[in-house]
Amino acid sequence: MQSKFAILAAFVAAAAAAVCPLDQLGGLTVVTNSVSPLQTRWDVFTVNSGAVNVGDVGWFRNNQPNGNEVFKAQAVGTSGHFTFTRRGGQDIGVSGTTAGSRLIASTTTATFNVNCGSCFQASGNAVAAENCGIQLVNGDGTLSNLCVNFQSDAVARLLECNDSNSNQNILIFSAP
Ligand SMILES: *[C@@H]1O[C@H](CO)[C@@H](O)[C@H](O)[C@H]1NC(C)=O
């Protein structure tokens, strides 16, 4: 039994090990895999809406991306580490470095480690990466064990990374 578990664990780890060239996409949207159809994505809010305030990165359902939802990824340092900028707009940071901290538009850019199950050549509105986890990288370059989590009708928050939590399963779509 023990060896079967070890093999299974190795497969799971391998399945989430791809670094996708997100920085080569002219634009991208960050979509949760936990809501069907796959249209619920990061949106930098420009108005207060319920629990989401101006500047928060909220989860917002939209069929086609609008300007607030299209991001650019920049590769930084270590392979798999990226920063995100709203295309033509603000950098994305975090409100803190503890579980429950929010993703926000910020002048202090956060670095994330993005590991995906698969990468695809994509243009237009198409999946460029799937089964991704987006983990905050600490200021010293170590991994935080805090991952971007989906919560319905709410801001994007960091929670302890958990590969079994479907709310942390994220897709990256290319955006025209
Ligand atoms: C990870 O997520 C699964 C599925 O939601 C849950 O059952 C499990 O309790 C979580 N593990 C931890 C350590 O939170």
Side-chain angles (χ1 to χ4, degrees):
M1 258 340 257
Q2 212 171 354
S3 63
K4 276 188 188 163
F5 272 119
I7 290 166
L8 182 60
F11 271 117
V12 169
V19 171
C20 300
L22 304 179
D23 53 309
Q24 288 169 26
L25 297 169
L28 60 86
T29 57
V30 181
V31 178
T32 180
N33 195 41
S34 58
V35 183
S36 215
L38 300 172
Q39 296 172 346
T40 301
R41 60 195 68 189
W42 283 4
D43 186 4
V44 176
F45 273 58
T46 53
V47 294
N48 293 321
S49 173
V52 187
N53 295 314
V54 172
D56 281 341
V57 178
W59 291 104
F60 182 72
R61 181 173 166 186
N62 193 13
N63 185 19
Q64 296 296 329
N66 70 30
N68 296 331
E69 297 163 345
V70 178
F71 295 84
K72 275 286 297 170
Q74 296 84 28
V76 290
T78 311
S79 173
H81 288 191
F82 297 95
T83 59
F84 293 93
T85 303
R86 185 168 75 79
R87 192 165 64 180
Q90 312 99 314
D91 291 340
I92 301 305
V94 292
S95 66
T97 54
T98 53
S101 295
R102 308 187 321 276
L103 269 65
I104 53 173
S106 172
T107 52
T108 307
T109 313
T111 300
F112 297 93
N113 184 60
V114 185
N115 264 309
C116 300
S118 309
C119 313
F120 305 97
Q121 287 276 354
S123 60
N125 290 298
V127 177
E130 67 180 14
N131 291 318
C132 302
I134 302 182
Q135 180 173 179
L136 180 69
V137 175
N138 294 319
D140 65 2
T142 58
L143 296 176
S144 67
N145 197 33
L146 294 171
C147 285
V148 171
N149 194 78
F150 165 76
Q151 289 154 287
S152 64
D153 294 330
V155 295
R157 285 185 193 276
L158 299 170
L159 288 184
E160 281 185 14
C161 297
N162 178 352
D163 282 348
S164 307
N165 185 346
S166 59
N167 288 331
Q168 296 181 8
N169 185 326
I170 288 168
L171 300 110
I172 308 288
F173 279 70
S174 70

